[in-house]
Amino acid sequence: MESKMKGTCVDGMIPKLFKGRMQSYIRCKEVDHLSSQTEAFYDIQLNIKGKHNILESFRDYVTVETLEGDNRYDAGPHGLQEAEKGVIFLSFPPVLHLQLMRFQYDPVTDNNVKVNDRFEFPEHLSLDQFLQASDPDNPADYVLHAVLVHSGDNHGGHYVVYINPKGNGKWFKFDDDVVSRCKIREAIEHNFGGHDDDVIVRQCTNAYMLVYIRRSHIDTVLTPVNEEDIPESLKNRLMEEKQLEAQRRKERNEAHLYMQVQVLLEDAFDGHQGNDLFDLDRVHYRSFRVKKLSTLSEFLELLSQCLNFTVPQIRPWPFNLRTNQTLRPTAIDLENDTNRPMQDIADGENPWTLFVETVDPENTVPALPPFEKDSDVLLFLKKYDPKSRSITYCGHVYVAIAERICDCLLPIFWERGNFPPGTEILLYEEVKPNMVEEIKLFTEPLEKVLDELMDGDVLVFQKYEPERVTHRNEYSTAKGFFRELFFRTEVTFYDRLSNSDPGFTLQLSQKMNYDQVANAVADHLGTDPYLLQFFKYQGYRDVPGNPIKCTYEGQLKDIFAGFKPKQSKKMYYQKLSIRIDELENKRQFKCIWVNSRLKEEKELVLYPNKNGTVHDLLNEACKQVQLSESGSGRLRILEIISCKIFNVLKEDVVLDCLISPGTKTYRIEETPKDELDLNQDEMLVPVAHFQKEIFSTFGVPFFVRIKNREPFAKVRLRIQSKLEVPDKEFEKFKLAVVVMGRQKYIADDCTEAVRIEDFQPQTIQGGSMQARPWMGLDHVNKTPRTSRYTSLEKPIKIHN
């Protein structure tokens, strides 16, 4: 917006209205050293958790933090120094936006939650006490202008805003497109949140942003807007919107007087490959809005003008939904219905769908041929081509019901099908979906051949080719084609491992078995069907469900048995590195590979035999990882819980004994050479990182080799070497020995020696369980908070 304003009369208006300045600083206590930086702000985020009102939040914002101990400030040439860190406001803007931090991260649930605590804000606010230097001539006194309110929780809700437009205490409530007057109590006190005995409000309804205007700038900011202040282009746009809204309002008010007529011409039937004459979901109608009390003759006049035909050159055929669920045109009595109201002819149907028959535009005939309702019938013709397995629309025809097929229809089939005269024809009636009946009696009158002969019946013909018409080829006849069409469905396949995969759609038969579906998908992807695994669609979560075994004996329709008729069909697939029949005899095992520098490189997906052991699992891992040239060449697998080493699994442990990952993670690494062969006075001790509290562990845990009676200083050096941490940074690390949930810190200059018996498993009182002592490194957690796994859950959206 600022870039759009450049070079105009409002250039620089946004910073002029909303920009304030603050200074962040760090001041050393013992030496004369000050580091400061001036920053601009357009809004202020205030912490409200545990705060009673705005002033308390501002005091918390400018509270001075003391940097001491391990958190001392690096003052360059002065080294690490105790210091004070804080911010001070240099200036507040004319319009002050205060964002109340209602949505905060909760480490217990690992989710964002909404803070609904009571938090008070005044109508008049003075902020001079928070300025570095206040101005007596222009005090930082503010008047509340707007309160933005959210009702709901973190997963959804509704937004409204209360505005004091003129700053005179007269408030209005803006709720979507409804604007209403409200009392000041409703705008302010009712949105403090929390519980109040005097005010009946929902706990989850509260303010999340406040807008204050500086009292000295109210007249400037809220100056009245005169008509000459509005650009001409904006006036025109507002006028157009006003006229459009008036037109829409008029249409809504008069909607009960009108009906919608949907018109289809014959070109809408071309290319349709399904039952009936068109696809309801894909057809494009020509829509007309006509008065319900207008007559049919008036509508035909309107049609003739729009279609550029005379009234005698067009004939309407309303579509009628038959009892067998087919939609076919039926005749209108034009002689008797011409002057009847449209709503009566449509029998109250709205929208009303018509097929409008017209003369051939290339012919100049003045009128359509006459149609005798009692003796003629309107038939629609389709040609089926077994070679291309496709349907071609061949127009419509009037036929006398007393005529024989061989006399009235066969010549038309030859002509419109481009067949030589005398070609043998197979003829079918399209009765309803999955019901196509062959017509064999060509020498009988039409009314005797077709049961319940009606206008709009559909006949399908094809050239008879004995060598093609076989029972084994279901597409050799139109009957077989429509039977297959009935079971045809569109299935969209998505890559299970890609959240952004748009997927691809295939037309498949619901009668397909697993192998046929796999072959169709493999052909599309250009891969081996045995290197694909399929997963059902879990509709209520919109994520992949259970895998489908390659020995599945059902059909495709059984996989989608729980789907609604109109619901889109979805499946997920995953490309494999081993054959699916081999995979199903194996067990999928996920673990993390950690390299020799204690970096989590990648997630391993391994496929050992279901009845295998840890030894088999490690052999599978060897195929996927790169071992260091100077390493031991031997792998081990660790159980990790809460970033601490819980156990080292022995190679003879059966895989069935391993618990599926949940709170537990499995880690594979190459065993360092110095940890392979230990002397009797040596052992491996697990080491974990933590920050202040021993339950706040983080990072990658590891083993360190200790020796009985060696000084802890050597252990500390061994840990530093393993982590490759510089001396200056490692000074901030504190070493602790954790036994039975209690830590004992080891001073850097401690001469105490390691007692190997102190690190033996400790029996927990009152039980047979043993707690293993471990070493902890207490230091600041600088690792970024990222998730190792890509979630397949969709993001939650908040809708108004």
Side-chain angles (χ1 to χ4, degrees):
M1 187 179 291
E2 280 192 81
S3 62
K4 294 285 186 182
M5 289 180 171
K6 288 191 179 296
T8 69
C9 61
V10 290
D11 191 358
M13 187 58 68
I14 289 181
K16 182 179 178 181
L17 287 175
F18 306 113
K19 182 179 176 181
R21 292 186 306 122
M22 68 172 69
Q23 185 182 71
S24 56
Y25 65 87
I26 299 179
R27 182 185 296 109
C28 294
K29 288 184 174 182
E30 305 296 335
V31 297
D32 184 15
H33 182 84
L34 174 68
S35 173
S36 65
Q37 182 177 0
T38 301
E39 303 171 354
F41 67 86
Y42 286 83
D43 63 69
I44 301 174
Q45 296 185 351
L46 296 179
N47 180 28
I48 66 169
K49 187 70 175 175
K51 306 295 180 289
H52 183 256
N53 54 39
I54 279 187
L55 293 179
E56 285 189 16
S57 293
F58 264 100
R59 292 188 190 103
D60 177 67
Y61 198 94
V62 299
T63 296
V64 176
E65 178 187 356
T66 301
L67 306 179
E68 57 186 1
D70 290 341
N71 200 26
R72 287 174 295 171
Y73 173 62
D74 187 351
H78 301 290
L80 296 176
Q81 295 288 333
E82 290 189 0
E84 293 179 338
K85 177 182 178 182
V87 297
I88 187 71
F89 290 100
L90 303 179
S91 66
F92 288 115
V95 181
L96 179 63
H97 285 81
L98 301 179
Q99 182 179 338
L100 310 184
M101 297 173 64
R102 288 283 181 190
F103 298 94
Q104 297 184 8
Y105 174 73
D106 181 9
V108 177
T109 61
D110 194 24
N111 277 310
N112 283 330
V113 295
K114 185 180 179 186
V115 179
N116 290 304
D117 297 354
R118 181 178 176 86
F119 183 81
E120 298 178 2
F121 47 90
E123 183 182 7
H124 303 283
L125 178 65
S126 177
L127 297 176
D128 275 336
Q129 59 181 301
F130 304 108
L131 282 171
Q132 186 180 49
S134 59
D135 183 0
D137 297 329
N138 184 21
D141 294 338
Y142 284 84
V143 175
L144 186 60
H145 174 64
V147 181
L148 283 70
V149 176
H150 175 259
S151 298
D153 57 17
N154 184 51
H155 303 294
H158 184 66
Y159 295 87
V160 298
V161 61
Y162 296 86
I163 299 180
N164 178 15
K166 297 183 179 180
N168 57 2
K170 295 182 179 179
W171 287 83
F172 292 82
K173 179 181 179 181
F174 292 74
D175 188 351
D176 291 339
D177 58 348
V178 178
V179 180
S180 58
R181 284 286 302 270
C182 66
K183 295 181 179 180
I184 187 172
R185 185 182 179 90
E186 181 184 351
I188 300 179
E189 295 181 27
H190 285 201
N191 297 308
F192 287 164
H195 292 290
D196 193 318
D197 296 335
D198 300 327
V199 183
I200 302 175
V201 292
R202 290 176 57 199
Q203 184 185 7
C204 60
T205 299
N206 36 58
Y208 70 95
M209 180 170 281
L210 308 173
V211 181
Y212 281 91
I213 298 178
R214 201 159 185 158
R215 190 184 297 276
S216 58
H217 289 75
I218 283 184
D219 293 338
T220 306
V221 174
L222 301 181
T223 182
V225 179
N226 300 317
E227 189 170 347
E228 56 268 19
D229 297 328
I230 305 174
E232 198 64 33
S233 59
L234 186 56
K235 287 182 186 178
N236 295 334
R237 179 177 171 184
L238 293 173
M239 184 62 67
E240 289 174 5
E241 290 181 357
K242 191 173 182 180
Q243 291 172 351
L244 185 60
E245 179 58 31
Q247 178 66 25
R248 289 174 178 167
R249 190 181 301 112
K250 180 182 177 183
E251 290 178 359
R252 287 196 298 268
N253 293 336
E254 297 179 352
H256 65 287
L257 302 176
Y258 288 83
M259 63 182 289
Q260 184 180 1
V261 180
Q262 301 177 151
V263 171
L264 292 175
L265 301 183
E266 199 155 30
D267 58 3
F269 306 151
D270 288 332
H272 178 57
Q273 297 296 307
N275 294 103
D276 288 337
L277 298 172
F278 63 94
D279 188 335
L280 282 168
D281 297 326
R282 297 181 180 179
V283 72
H284 296 288
Y285 301 102
R286 301 187 186 201
S287 295
F288 296 85
R289 186 170 179 263
V290 300
K291 286 187 176 181
K292 294 179 179 179
L293 297 180
S294 63
T295 62
L296 178 60
S297 62
E298 291 172 340
F299 175 66
L300 292 178
E301 286 289 345
L302 174 65
L303 264 183
S304 67
Q305 295 173 15
C306 294
L307 301 179
N308 202 22
F309 290 103
T310 63
V311 172
Q313 290 178 320
I314 60 177
R315 181 173 290 142
W317 299 84
F319 277 94
N320 176 47
L321 183 62
R322 297 180 177 180
T323 55
N324 62 5
Q325 300 305 305
T326 57
L327 193 63
R328 304 290 173 81
T330 186
I332 289 181
D333 188 351
L334 291 177
E335 292 182 3
N336 299 321
D337 291 345
T338 303
N339 295 317
R340 288 181 63 198
M342 289 286 288
Q343 66 174 358
D344 292 347
I345 301 174
D347 198 19
E349 191 175 338
N350 189 10
W352 191 37
T353 307
L354 297 177
F355 160 55
V356 175
E357 179 188 8
T358 67
V359 297
D360 188 343
E362 297 180 0
N363 296 333
T364 57
V365 293
L368 286 168
F371 179 79
E372 297 295 334
K373 187 175 181 181
D374 295 329
S375 59
D376 292 342
V377 66
L378 171 68
L379 298 177
F380 290 88
L381 307 180
K382 297 179 181 179
K383 183 184 77 170
Y384 174 65
D385 182 4
K387 293 181 182 178
S388 61
R389 300 179 180 179
S390 62
I391 293 290
T392 302
Y393 176 70
C394 294
H396 66 280
V397 65
Y398 300 163
V399 180
I401 60 177
E403 286 195 75
R404 300 185 304 171
I405 293 177
C406 58
D407 297 331
C408 62
L409 287 177
L410 267 182
I412 296 176
F413 296 154
W414 295 331
E415 177 189 354
R416 299 188 185 182
N418 294 321
F419 301 141
T423 301
E424 194 170 352
I425 295 294
L426 292 177
L427 184 61
Y428 302 88
E429 180 191 5
E430 187 183 316
V431 181
K432 64 178 182 179
N434 200 30
M435 186 174 180
V436 177
E437 300 293 344
E438 185 175 0
I439 300 172
K440 297 183 178 180
L441 299 175
F442 286 15
T443 57
E444 294 290 332
L446 199 60
E447 58 185 339
K448 292 186 178 180
V449 173
L450 297 180
D451 295 333
E452 299 181 8
L453 181 62
M454 300 171 66
D455 291 320
D457 281 353
V458 179
L459 300 182
V460 186
F461 65 93
Q462 71 177 91
K463 180 181 179 181
Y464 177 57
E465 298 174 290
E467 69 278 5
R468 289 186 178 275
V469 179
T470 63
H471 294 293
R472 278 181 285 180
N473 183 5
E474 294 181 333
Y475 288 97
S476 62
T477 65
K479 184 172 184 176
F481 169 81
F482 279 100
R483 183 169 55 246
E484 289 299 310
L485 181 68
F486 179 76
F487 290 103
R488 187 181 299 174
T489 187
E490 288 188 346
V491 183
T492 304
F493 293 86
Y494 297 93
D495 187 344
R496 178 175 174 267
L497 301 180
S498 173
N499 285 341
S500 59
D501 181 30
F504 60 88
T505 302
L506 299 179
Q507 283 196 344
L508 305 174
S509 171
Q510 295 184 60
K511 298 190 296 181
M512 282 184 168
N513 58 27
Y514 177 92
D515 289 337
Q516 291 170 322
V517 173
N519 285 325
V521 176
D523 287 344
H524 180 85
L525 296 174
T527 187
D528 188 332
Y530 283 97
L531 295 180
L532 292 174
Q533 184 178 24
F534 296 98
F535 299 82
K536 290 184 177 181
Y537 170 66
Q538 208 170 66
Y540 67 96
R541 294 177 62 200
D542 198 21
V543 295
N546 296 326
I548 303 171
K549 290 190 175 183
C550 65
T551 55
Y552 183 73
E553 296 181 353
Q555 296 178 329
L556 187 62
K557 65 179 180 181
D558 301 320
I559 295 176
F560 298 118
F563 281 61
K564 297 177 181 178
K566 291 285 186 179
Q567 185 179 357
S568 57
K569 310 294 190 295
K570 296 181 182 180
M571 284 178 64
Y572 289 84
Y573 69 91
Q574 178 178 330
K575 292 183 178 180
L576 304 175
S577 56
I578 61 173
R579 289 170 59 96
I580 181 65
D581 49 354
E582 294 180 18
L583 172 67
E584 291 182 355
N585 291 321
K586 296 179 179 290
R587 173 181 175 178
Q588 187 185 75
F589 194 92
K590 292 183 179 180
C591 52
I592 304 301
W593 167 249
V594 173
N595 62 22
S596 58
R597 301 184 65 183
L598 297 178
K599 303 294 182 184
E600 294 185 353
E601 281 197 350
K602 60 181 178 180
E603 181 184 62
L604 301 180
V605 182
L606 307 175
Y607 296 97
N609 291 325
K610 287 183 177 179
N611 55 354
T613 62
V614 169
H615 176 76
D616 301 321
L617 184 66
L618 296 177
N619 286 339
E620 288 292 320
C622 280
K623 302 173 185 177
Q624 296 191 28
V625 299
Q626 185 75 34
L627 302 180
S628 57
E629 295 180 1
S630 58
S632 65
R634 289 178 57 180
L635 300 183
R636 66 185 176 193
I637 183 167
L638 313 178
E639 287 181 331
I640 309 296
I641 299 178
S642 299
C643 299
K644 293 184 291 187
I645 297 175
F646 181 70
N647 190 20
V648 181
L649 298 177
K650 295 182 179 179
E651 293 194 0
D652 58 353
V653 172
V654 179
L655 293 180
D656 285 341
C657 298
L658 304 188
I659 302 174
S660 299
T663 57
K664 181 182 295 186
T665 303
Y666 292 100
R667 184 177 107 191
I668 292 180
E669 63 184 16
E670 185 176 9
T671 307
K673 284 183 177 179
D674 63 342
E675 296 179 10
L676 281 178
D677 299 315
L678 302 177
N679 298 323
Q680 289 185 350
D681 60 346
E682 294 178 330
M683 71 180 298
L684 296 179
V685 176
V687 183
H689 305 266
F690 70 93
Q691 182 174 352
K692 295 183 180 179
E693 304 291 342
I694 58 173
F695 57 80
S696 299
T697 48
F698 63 91
V700 181
F702 57 94
F703 278 114
V704 65
R705 178 174 53 84
I706 63 171
K707 186 173 183 179
N708 196 28
R709 303 303 175 188
E710 71 172 335
F712 272 103
K714 281 191 175 182
V715 178
R716 185 178 173 86
L717 287 173
R718 199 174 295 129
I719 292 174
Q720 180 183 359
S721 174
K722 197 176 189 76
L723 295 178
E724 299 179 354
V725 179
D727 293 345
K728 189 173 182 180
E729 185 178 348
F730 200 68
E731 288 177 4
K732 302 176 184 178
F733 286 44
K734 291 193 292 186
L735 182 65
V737 176
V738 183
V739 182
M740 302 288 286
R742 296 180 180 177
Q743 71 266 37
K744 174 188 174 184
Y745 286 99
I746 307 297
D748 295 353
D749 54 357
C750 176
T751 58
E752 183 180 348
V754 172
R755 287 165 28 100
I756 204 166
E757 57 268 24
D758 293 341
F759 292 93
Q760 297 296 333
Q762 308 286 316
T763 301
I764 298 176
Q765 186 175 2
S768 58
M769 294 183 62
Q770 291 185 324
R772 184 176 183 181
W774 53 281
M775 288 189 184
L777 290 175
D778 184 356
H779 61 101
V780 176
N781 180 8
K782 296 182 179 179
T783 56
R785 185 179 182 82
T786 55
S787 175
R788 180 181 299 126
Y789 303 106
T790 302
S791 173
L792 292 175
E793 292 282 358
K794 287 197 167 184
I796 294 171
K797 297 179 181 178
I798 299 178
H799 298 281
N800 238 4

